[in-house]
Amino acid sequence: MQLFNLNKNSKLVNVKEKPFRLEKDIQNIFEFNLQDILGLVLVKSEFTIKNKRIDTLAYDKQSNAFIIIEYKRNKNISVVDQGFTYLSLMLENKADFIIEYNETLKSNLKRQDVDWSQSRVIFVSTSFTENQKTATNFKDIAIELWEIKKYDNDLISINQIKKSSSAESIKPITSSNSKLASVSKEIKVYTEDEHLEGKPEEVIELYENYKQAILNLADDIEVKANKQYIAFKKDKNLSDIVILKKGLKIFINISKGNLDDPKGLMRDVSDTGHWGNGDYETIVKNDANLEYIMSLIKQTI
C-alpha cells in the first residue's frame, strides 16, 4: 500500500516506509493498544509454559477465548506449523492459562467459562510471503495474519490479511496428521454457510438483503461469523445477526439510552441475557423496516 501527503500545491508526496528496529517495538505497539487494534484484553506479555514462550497472551471477552499473538520479522517460518503447535499447547494446558488469567487480572475465571473452541493464533509482521498467505488461506483455520508498517512522522498502518472468498476447508489436510487433526477437532472456526445451513430460502434471502444493506453503510465493514451470531464490524462490532428459523434477530451495538429510535422498534435487552453485542435487539421477518433499521445501525459508525 502506498501512502501520500497532499502538499499545498495539490501535489502528492510519497510517505516513505521506515523499518522497525526491533521485533519488541512491534510488540509494544500491539500490547499498549490491544483493545483499540483487536478488541482484546492483555493477559500476559512473554508468557512461558512448558519451555515455550508466547509473545502476547490475550483474551477475547466477546468470544470468551484465549488469543495467542506472535510477532515475526523473520519471514522463513511456517505459520501453520507454529500456529497449530501453540493451539495444541493451549489445549493440553488449559489450567495454566486459567491460572495466569486469574493471577494477572485478579479475576475468578473458571475453565467452563472459556470457549476453547474459539481460540486462535495471530501472527503480526511487517510483511508475509505468498507461501505464508497461501498456507493460511482456509476459511476454517484458526490462524490470522496481520501486517504492520511504519512510515515517516510515526505513521502506522495495521491491516489483516483477508482470506479469499473461494477459500476452502483445511479439514481434508489436517485429517492425515494426527496432531493437526486433534487441534482441528476442538478448535472451531465458524462460517456464514453454517449459520444458514438448513434455513428456509426466504430466511436466507432476507439475511442477504440485510447483509448487503449493512455493507452499504460504509467502506471496509467486515463480516465475521461467530459461534452464536454473525457480526458486522468496522473497528468494532456495529451489528450482530442471529439466523432464526422464521426470521432474523438483529442486535445494535449501542449502550442503553444512546440509541435514537423514534419508532421504538428496538427492544432494550440490557438486563437480559443475549448473544449479540449492544443493548438493543429486534426480530424481523421481512424487509419492511430495512431502511429504518439501517438508519439505527448507522448510529454506531
Side-chain angles (χ1 to χ4, degrees):
M1 177 177 67
Q2 284 186 294
L3 292 181
F4 299 91
N5 278 323
L6 186 65
N7 68 17
K8 60 182 180 180
N9 297 319
S10 296
K11 176 71 174 176
L12 289 177
V13 180
N14 187 53
V15 180
K16 294 181 179 179
E17 184 179 348
K18 298 174 64 177
F20 285 96
R21 190 171 62 88
L22 299 171
E23 183 179 291
K24 188 67 176 178
D25 295 335
I26 300 175
Q27 184 171 351
N28 287 339
I29 289 172
F30 265 75
E31 290 186 346
F32 291 147
N33 302 278
L34 203 52
Q35 181 63 48
D36 292 328
I37 299 172
L38 296 169
L40 304 178
V41 175
L42 176 64
V43 177
K44 181 76 171 181
S45 179
E46 312 293 345
F47 176 49
T48 301
I49 179 171
K50 304 295 182 183
N51 296 320
K52 291 188 182 296
R53 180 179 59 82
I54 292 171
D55 290 341
T56 300
L57 178 62
Y59 193 79
D60 186 342
K61 289 192 172 182
Q62 287 189 6
S63 60
N64 295 317
F66 284 100
I67 311 299
I68 293 171
I69 306 175
E70 289 292 305
Y71 309 93
K72 297 298 175 188
R73 296 179 76 247
N74 180 6
K75 299 182 179 63
N76 298 318
I77 60 166
S78 170
V79 290
V80 173
D81 288 345
Q82 190 170 7
F84 272 86
T85 296
Y86 280 122
L87 289 172
S88 178
L89 181 71
M90 178 188 297
L91 297 176
E92 292 171 0
N93 300 278
K94 294 176 180 177
D96 296 271
F97 284 79
I98 297 290
I99 291 170
E100 189 62 48
Y101 182 98
N102 289 332
E103 290 184 349
T104 304
L105 300 182
K106 311 301 180 187
S107 185
N108 189 32
L109 186 71
K110 296 180 174 58
R111 182 183 297 213
Q112 61 266 28
D113 297 332
V114 181
D115 187 351
W116 300 97
S117 73
Q118 294 291 278
S119 307
R120 66 186 191 273
V121 176
I122 295 174
F123 289 99
V124 180
S125 178
T126 53
S127 65
F128 292 96
T129 66
E130 286 304 314
N131 285 340
Q132 290 171 329
K133 294 176 184 179
T134 300
T136 56
N137 188 37
F138 294 96
K139 63 182 180 181
D140 52 359
I141 191 171
I143 297 173
E144 297 179 6
L145 305 183
W146 288 72
E147 284 188 342
I148 180 171
K149 295 184 183 296
K150 183 169 71 170
Y151 300 88
D152 289 337
N153 301 318
D154 291 327
L155 183 66
I156 301 291
S157 72
I158 300 173
N159 296 287
Q160 183 181 1
I161 304 298
K162 303 292 185 182
K163 296 173 175 40
S164 68
S165 58
S166 59
E168 298 180 351
S169 172
I170 196 173
K171 290 179 181 178
I173 297 175
T174 58
S175 61
S176 60
N177 183 306
S178 58
K179 181 180 178 181
L180 300 185
S182 64
V183 172
S184 294
K185 184 178 180 180
E186 188 160 353
I187 302 295
K188 175 69 174 175
V189 178
Y190 293 89
T191 66
E192 281 183 280
D193 290 342
E194 288 171 307
H195 282 274
L196 295 170
E197 186 177 355
K199 299 299 189 297
E201 285 298 322
E202 57 268 24
V203 171
I204 295 174
E205 183 177 345
L206 185 65
Y207 168 72
E208 291 295 338
N209 289 343
Y210 274 88
K211 171 186 174 180
Q212 194 55 54
I214 295 174
L215 295 179
N216 287 339
L217 292 176
D219 294 332
D220 302 324
I221 293 179
E222 176 188 3
V223 181
K224 183 174 177 58
N226 293 314
K227 186 175 185 177
Q228 307 291 1
Y229 57 84
I230 299 172
F232 294 83
K233 307 175 68 174
K234 183 178 173 66
D235 301 324
K236 64 175 183 177
N237 276 42
L238 308 178
S239 178
D240 306 311
I241 295 181
V242 177
I243 313 292
L244 306 175
K245 290 182 178 180
K246 296 183 179 181
L248 309 174
K249 182 177 288 187
I250 300 176
F251 295 90
I252 296 181
N253 192 16
I254 291 181
S255 56
K256 180 180 179 180
N258 293 314
L259 180 67
D260 182 14
D261 178 15
K263 290 186 178 182
L265 186 66
M266 305 301 295
R267 184 169 74 98
D268 176 10
V269 292
S270 58
D271 294 325
T272 61
H274 58 281
W275 286 333
N277 297 281
D279 290 338
Y280 294 95
E281 73 167 33
T282 190
I283 293 176
V284 300
K285 296 183 178 180
N286 54 55
D287 56 9
N289 289 306
L290 188 148
E291 290 189 14
Y292 179 74
I293 292 174
M294 291 306 109
S295 72
L296 302 181
I297 296 175
K298 197 167 185 179
Q299 295 177 38
T300 66
I301 299 176

